[in-house]
Amino acid sequence: MKIDELKHAGLKRWIEEAKTLMTPDSVEICDGSAAEYDRMIKITVDAKLATVLNESKRPGSVLFRSDPSDVARVEDRTYIASKNKEDAGPTNNWMDPAELKQKMRALYKGSMRGRVMYVIPFSMGQIGSNIAKIGVEITDSPYVVANMHIMARVGTKVLDVLGADGFFVPCLHSVGKPLAPGETDNGKWPCAPMADKYISHFPETREIWSYGSGYGGNALLGKKCLALRIASVLARDEGWLAEHMLILKITNPEGEVKYIAGAFPSACGKTNLAMLIPTLPGWKVETVGDDIAWMKFGKDGRLYAINPEAGFFGVAPGTNDESNHNAMETIKKNTIFTNCGLTEDGDIWWEQIGYGAPGKEIIDWKGVKRPAPKTDKSPKGEEIAHPNARFTAPAKQCPCIAKEWEDPAGVPISAFLFGGRRPKTIPLVNQSKSWIHGVFMGSIVGSEVTAAVISDQVGQVRRDPFAMLPFCGYNMGDYFKHWIKIGKTAEEKGWADKLPKIFFVNWFRKNEQDKFIWPGYGENSRVLAWIFDRCDGKGKSLETPIGTLPAAGAIERPAGVSEQDMAELLRVDIDGWKKEIEDVRKNHYPKFGSHLPDELKSELEAIEKRLEG
Ligand code: TSX
Ligand code: MN
């Protein structure tokens, strides 16, 4: 398709502007076809950016190695450019939008020289769903085009729905590495130096400008940039929720179904939970989404969720048949791997994949030949796969994908889970006493900093409210208010009893010997079963100062967990909680200043009082 054939005048104008600014050799409007995907892969293979994997072991799959400076999201270089700094809030980087655009225009000038400018129309959510949103990404990266094919619904069908004057979020992206005449990438992942990387969001004009990085969250603009940062602003303005949440379907032995959404900070195993295989007989868990949930009230007053994505962009290291069998099945074919190891027999490999690497040698994520590890562990800093190595795989390949995952109406949510890695104090599961108490729980989400991250904060809790700290496109204090408002809306409309029940879970309690006392993984189904029953007002429970906990024996003890450990998992640690509340009062809540809702201050005081007994 040619630019002139586009029906949407605004889209046409924006593409022409981008072309004039970035001066690519040519422009291609993506149709979303399989042939187009294959062509993108061929271009990257010819440029020596991708390696085709062994067709009999990993059919239809490729491995990319990024530049060592371009391996993850760059939070320091991520901006929320609202007119007023206050609207970006205390937890986002801010710059004046006009100033930021001026800086970035200088970088974009001529940045696509020697490259093709691809125009990717995409839909986050089922094409035509009333919860879905359309974006158009302009990029000079065929890696981005191929990944977007998997992660979103892309191509001509989206333009048909967009029509002549539909709303879309313009998403501008350039890797920031123009080519001289005759120059090719020739095996060197293109990107700009760190100081020139910008991941910018203009919430008021609903625009995304990304420059200098080719990597995942910085470059696949439908995901974190649109579906979370811009969508959180749309959701605030339009009265819905755009959340960093997995969505799972759970069926009990009686065949009754519920849907649960959950927010966890990074490194808590969100994708593993979304694809969990229950150990409890007769129970079944299926996946609707593993990262993002968009939720709107239905006419019946329930909150309906869709997964706006079409694929999984998951962390590879740690994924194995034990931790996530369904993910291992999902990535057996048609998968893009980034920054994994490459074995002698043309397959991928990573730390904790569950087996040592075959053969004598392996090529690490930097492209260096190394002795093949006999076990699946490597010393810190010497990993074969980068710790943030990724797979990009179509959701439809997941053996436990729920049939409803493509339902444009979404699924009705019965429960919200919040969690984090908390070795002490926080019990295995705790139900909120009210909506506002649940919002309080979401607001104090966090993980204890472990030695795995180089930090002077080891042992302290790093708060990541609602797991949204890096992904909220506006003031986090106002975001808390929005959650409170959702509860008020439901109340006013007589839907309060239909709101999802809220739970705080913690799979990561440790004993004095620093050993995990809960087996986690499939055994978490015992906790999910209690939550399931609580949604129906069943499940034996105990009112405590911190919330509603399972009564003794309400959660059956898994093999290997002693009676003492079980009691510890469900104990209310009054002294620990007093410290927790003090940390929230002194160190966490003050960050939000005058934007912190009074309701949360009152909730904090109410819990404090109950703890005093
Ligand atoms: O994903 C995890 N989940 C959720 C699974 C549905 N992980 C991995 C986190 C890193 C991404 C977990 N790790 C979980 C968990 O529930 N629990 C733990 C902690 C743990 C680790 C190892 C053991 C037990 C618990 N192993 C043994 O006890 C043998
Ligand atoms: Mn995520």
Side-chain angles (χ1 to χ4, degrees), residues 39-52 62 64:
R39 197 156 46 81
M40 292 304 121
I41 296 298
K42 184 173 184 317
I43 290 169
T44 59
V45 171
D46 289 347
K48 302 196 182 92
L49 296 171
T51 306
V52 177
V62 287
F64 285 82

Side-chain angles (χ1 to χ4, degrees), residues 325-530:
H325 171 76
N326 287 311
M328 292 303 279
E329 290 294 314
T330 308
I331 62 178
K332 277 198 161 151
K333 56 182 183 189
N334 310 326
T335 299
I336 298 172
F337 295 94
T338 307
N339 289 341
C340 303
L342 176 65
T343 63
E344 275 179 1
D345 59 356
D347 200 1
I348 43 72
W349 188 91
W350 49 71
E351 278 65 24
Q352 287 160 318
I353 195 171
Y355 50 85
K360 283 202 179 68
E361 289 182 314
I362 189 163
I363 300 176
D364 73 8
W365 70 275
K366 289 179 176 168
V368 177
K369 259 198 188 149
R370 307 252 301 265
K374 296 275 178 289
T375 71
D376 73 351
K377 287 167 192 68
S378 301
K380 198 171 145 45
E382 294 174 34
E383 293 88 354
I384 298 293
H386 187 276
N388 194 37
R390 298 279 167 156
F391 54 76
T392 317
K396 62 171 185 287
Q397 288 183 189
C398 182
C400 62
I401 196 80
K403 63 179 193 312
E404 302 88 328
W405 88 279
E406 293 189 284
D407 186 343
V411 296
I413 299 298
S414 294
F416 285 131
L417 308 187
F418 296 114
R421 295 179 81 106
R422 299 297 305 267
K424 293 188 277 281
T425 311
I426 311 296
L428 179 61
V429 56
N430 176 14
Q431 182 179 1
S432 80
K433 290 174 178 288
S434 63
W435 179 260
I436 182 68
H437 181 215
V439 175
F440 172 83
M441 285 176 169
S443 78
I444 67 163
V445 161
S447 281
E448 192 163 295
V449 180
T450 62
V453 255
I454 308 141
S455 168
D456 51 2
Q457 299 173 49
V458 173
Q460 287 181 40
V461 181
R462 183 179 291 161
R463 307 270 171 202
D464 180 3
F466 292 79
M468 279 292 277
L469 209 56
F471 304 118
C472 185
Y474 60 103
N475 189 306
M476 202 68 199
D478 296 342
Y479 168 94
F480 298 152
K481 283 188 192 136
H482 181 56
W483 264 81
I484 294 167
K485 195 172 156 203
I486 290 283
K488 287 198 177 126
T489 303
E491 211 159 286
E492 280 160 19
K493 301 208 171 187
W495 300 336
D497 59 328
K498 294 178 180 169
L499 279 170
K501 308 288 181 279
I502 303 178
F503 301 83
F504 205 107
V505 297
N506 179 19
W507 323 132
F508 298 94
R509 278 296 281 277
K510 285 180 166 180
N511 62 15
E512 304 292 291
Q513 289 79 45
D514 213 37
K515 288 267 181 294
F516 289 111
I517 58 175
W518 179 253
Y521 299 99
E523 298 288 21
N524 294 338
S525 58
R526 296 169 193 277
V527 177
L528 297 181
W530 184 75

Side-chain angles (χ1 to χ4, degrees), residues 223-224 228 244 270 290-292 471:
K223 193 178 176 67
K224 302 304 190 183
L228 288 174
H244 190 203
K270 218 166 102 196
D290 81 323
D291 198 38
I292 302 175
F471 304 118

